[in-house]
Amino acid sequence: MQIRSTYRLAAAAAFALSAMAPAMAQQVVLKVHHFLPGTSNVHRNLIQPWCDKIAKDSGDRLKCQIYPAMQLGGTPAQLFDQARDGVADIVWTIPTYSAGRFLKSEVFELPFFTRSAKGSSTAFWHFVQKNALDEYAGVKPLWLHTNDGSSFHLTSAKGVKNLDELKGLKIRAATRLNSRMLAALGATPVQMPLPAVPEAMSKGVIDGAMVPWEGVPAAKLQEIAKSHVDVPAGEPKFANSIFAFVMNKAKYDSLPADLKKVIDANSGAETSAWAGEKGFDSVVVPFHKLATDRGNQVLALPAAELARWTRATADIDDQWVKEVSAKGANGAALLEDAKALSRQYDK
C-alpha cells in the first residue's frame, strides 16, 4: 500500500514538473539597439547592467541581445522608429535627433536648464508622464533621462574665454535647440550625432563640439581636443540632450504578467534618476581627469562672462514657446511646468 502511494506521489510530482517545464523554460530574448560602441560608458554602465538586472529578476526568462554601434542598421535618428516598428525590441536613443518630432519633450534641451543628470532626469520623467506621452506613441518608455549638461571641447589649445573668441567657430551640436543656442552665441553650429564627431574634429571640419563629459571617452575627445570649457561649479550647464530607453509596445503587451512586472519594476522615475546619476553625474570627475592628465586646458567661465552667454540666448525660450503653441499646445504652461519640476528635483 505504501509502495503504491509512493509511486502515485512520484508520478504526480513528475507530471507537475513536466507541466511546469515549458513555462520555466520560456525565455524572451529582447533585441536592444543603440548608437554608441560596446566599450562606451552608457553600454557598460547603463544598458548592460539593466539587462543583467532583468535577467536576474526574471530567473533568466528575460534576456537581452544587445546590438551597439547601430549593428542592426540604420542611423541614430531612426532608432526611435525602429523600436516603434519592431525592428528592435528596445532602443536607447536621443529622440530629438529626429528634429521637430518631440517638441514638448525638448523643453529640457533649452539653454541653461540642467544642473545634474540625476535631478534633471527625474524631472524629465515626470514631465513626459504628465505632458508628452503622445510623443511616444507605439513604444513604452522604460526610462527617460538627460545628460549632466554639455561642455565645449575644442581643437584649439588656448580655449575660449569669452563670447568674442567663440564667434565664427564651427561647433558640433547634437540637436536643433543646441544649434539654435550656438547660433545665438555667434558660433556656427554643425549638427551631427556623436559617432561622427571624432573624424569631423580630426579633419578640421569642425573646431569643436558640445558634448557632455560622459561622451568624452566614447568620442576620444580627451585625445582630439586640446581645451575644454565648463560653466562655474553649481551653475546650470550650457545645453543638454534628452535620452529615451523605450520598448516596442506590442512586445511589452505580449509578455506574461510576471515578466511585465519585472520590466515595470526596472522602469520609471527611480530608474531614470539612476540612469542620470550612474551614467553621467558619476563620471564627470574621472573623465575630467582623462583630459587634464593629457595636459589639456579645462576652463570654467567667470560668473560675469557666463551672464553674457545667458543674456545672448535668452530669447530661445520664447521661440520654443511660440513653436509649441503653434502646434496647439500651451507652450508657456509647459515651460513653467518643466521649470517647476526642475526646481523640485534638480536643485
Side-chain angles (χ1 to χ4, degrees), residues 32-345:
V32 181
H33 200 200
H34 68 89
F35 62 83
L36 290 178
T39 56
S40 65
N41 171 63
V42 164
H43 180 101
R44 291 185 295 107
N45 291 322
L46 289 187
I47 296 174
Q48 187 65 61
W50 185 87
C51 286
D52 292 343
K53 181 70 160 48
I54 65 165
K56 179 181 177 182
D57 291 355
S58 67
D60 283 328
R61 289 176 59 208
L62 285 171
K63 178 182 178 182
C64 293
Q65 196 165 49
I66 307 175
Y67 297 88
M70 302 305 300
Q71 289 178 359
L72 291 179
T75 66
Q78 294 171 330
L79 278 167
F80 182 88
D81 287 342
Q82 289 184 357
R84 183 197 63 190
D85 298 340
V87 175
D89 298 312
I90 297 174
V91 304
W92 177 84
T93 188
I94 296 179
T96 46
Y97 274 168
S98 300
R101 286 182 59 184
F102 296 85
L103 284 178
K104 291 183 286 188
S105 295
E106 74 174 357
V107 64
F108 279 79
E109 293 185 347
L110 289 169
F112 304 108
F113 211 85
T114 291
R115 281 184 167 82
S116 73
K118 179 181 180 181
S120 185
S121 297
T122 307
F124 180 43
W125 172 269
H126 287 298
F127 177 86
V128 169
Q129 299 306 305
K130 181 179 177 181
N131 300 298
L133 278 177
D134 58 307
E135 295 183 336
Y136 299 83
V139 303
K140 177 179 174 61
L142 303 182
W143 23 285
L144 305 170
H145 66 97
T146 72
N147 59 40
D148 62 293
S150 294
S151 301
F152 286 83
H153 309 277
L154 307 163
T155 55
S156 167
K158 71 175 185 177
V160 166
K161 300 178 182 65
N162 55 58
L163 269 181
D164 299 328
E165 293 178 352
L166 184 66
K167 292 187 186 302
L169 294 183
K170 298 186 294 294
I171 305 293
R172 175 263 182 174
T175 66
R176 74 183 197 105
L177 287 188
N178 295 168
S179 293
R180 191 172 290 176
M181 177 189 186
L182 287 168
L185 294 172
T188 300
V190 182
Q191 198 166 319
M192 66 178 68
L194 184 61
V197 168
E199 182 176 7
M201 284 184 67
S202 296
K203 292 185 175 181
V205 175
I206 56 177
D207 301 303
M210 289 195 74
V211 177
W213 279 98
E214 180 279 331
V216 164
K220 298 184 178 180
L221 295 182
Q222 77 276 17
E223 301 174 16
I224 301 168
K226 297 296 183 287
S227 61
H228 315 264
V229 182
D230 286 331
V231 299
E235 294 295 327
K237 309 300 175 58
F238 294 114
N240 189 19
S241 296
I242 58 172
F243 300 82
F245 192 73
V246 298
M247 184 174 186
N248 175 270
K249 186 65 165 57
K251 185 70 173 182
Y252 172 82
D253 290 342
S254 72
L255 296 177
D258 61 332
L259 294 187
K260 285 181 181 176
K261 287 181 179 179
V262 171
I263 296 293
D264 293 346
N266 290 280
S267 303
E270 289 186 8
T271 309
S272 297
W274 163 81
E277 182 175 32
K278 177 70 173 177
F280 293 85
D281 292 337
S282 67
V283 301
V284 172
V285 171
F287 289 178
H288 257 257
K289 192 173 185 298
L290 291 177
T292 55
D293 283 352
R294 295 183 66 88
N296 295 0
Q297 183 174 205
V298 180
L299 304 169
L301 291 180
E305 183 61 27
L306 179 64
R308 290 183 65 202
W309 295 47
T310 304
R311 287 193 297 270
T313 59
D315 69 339
I316 294 178
D317 287 10
D318 294 335
Q319 294 176 39
W320 178 85
V321 166
K322 290 177 182 177
E323 289 175 350
V324 174
S325 297
K327 297 290 186 179
N330 187 334
L334 290 172
L335 178 59
E336 182 49 43
D337 195 36
K339 287 181 176 179
L341 287 165
S342 292
R343 286 192 296 268
Q344 179 179 355
Y345 295 108

